[in-house]
Amino acid sequence: MILSDLNLGERAQITGVTNFGLGDAVSRRLRNLGFVAGEEVVCVAKGPFGGDPLLFQIGFTRFALRKEEAGRVEIVTR
């Protein structure tokens, strides 16, 4: 499953981030921000028009991501 499919208020565990080619800056940035395997993530809010952007929380930090960016993060729900 991918992070952009997570329902509002639902929790999941990150299993990885997909790279699109060598030196993928977006995937690298997501990992640097804390989207790494083993971290718990929760969907806090979705934008009013088409659900974009999405707001996620890891620990005490919240991140707003576009659906395209969230689609790179692989998760498993609990």
Side-chain angles (χ1 to χ4, degrees), residues 1 19 30-31 47 65-66 74:
M1 185 172 177
N19 286 320
L30 287 168
R31 284 190 293 276
L65 301 177
R66 294 184 300 244
E74 301 164 4

Side-chain angles (χ1 to χ4, degrees), residues 1-12:
M1 185 172 177
I2 56 175
L3 190 58
S4 58
D5 292 337
L6 199 61
N7 294 319
L8 191 60
E10 193 174 13
R11 295 182 181 274

Side-chain angles (χ1 to χ4, degrees), residues 28-70:
R28 183 175 55 246
R29 181 71 175 147
L30 287 168
R31 284 190 293 276
N32 289 340
L33 288 172
F35 290 87
V36 293
E39 288 293 329
E40 183 179 77
V41 62
V42 61
C43 182
V44 178
K46 293 186 176 194
F49 303 107
D52 213 7
L54 304 163
L55 184 64
F56 298 102
Q57 183 167 333
I58 297 177
F60 294 106
T61 307
R62 291 183 174 193
F63 302 95
L65 301 177
R66 294 184 300 244
K67 281 185 176 181
E68 179 183 323
E69 296 164 338

